Amino acid sequence: MSTLPPCPKCNSEYTYEDGTQLVCPECAHEWSPGAAAEAGDSERVIKDSVGNVLQDGDSVSVIKDLKVKGSSLVVKVGTKVKNIRLCDGDHDIDCKIDGIGAMKLKSEFVRKV
């Protein structure tokens, strides 16, 4: 039985040590042993492109033209997005954009209004 903690990302029990890091073979997540305890104690803070902390229900403005994958649509600079929802993952903002519909955005491409 392994005494290593499970993966904090996918909860896999098959973690192993690689030097000073712990590694999950199922999702390829790497973390330091001390970071696992700290991550569970605090909430994830999501910031916009200039460092403002974002919360559910905020309004943001897009700072860069963003191509919508799988279509010819483009989200233009200055597009205002109201009532965002924060979620986990690479694209950490879930929202609805007029004329385009529901989509996910990265927080690095928006600014809080």
Side-chain angles (χ1 to χ4, degrees), residues 23-43:
V23 181
C24 175
E26 293 183 7
C27 70
H29 180 66
E30 296 181 7
W31 72 99
S32 62
E38 295 171 9
D41 295 342
S42 64
E43 253 185 66

Side-chain angles (χ1 to χ4, degrees), residues 11-63:
N11 291 324
S12 171
E13 60 186 36
Y14 302 110
T15 58
Y16 63 92
E17 282 185 279
D18 185 20
T20 60
Q21 298 284 331
L22 294 175
V23 181
C24 175
E26 293 183 7
C27 70
H29 180 66
E30 296 181 7
W31 72 99
S32 62
E38 295 171 9
D41 295 342
S42 64
E43 253 185 66
R44 183 171 166 216
V45 176
I46 298 175
K47 297 183 178 184
D48 67 359
S49 62
V50 293
N52 297 323
V53 177
L54 296 174
Q55 297 178 349
D56 287 338
D58 283 345
S59 294
V60 295
S61 176
V62 177
I63 63 165

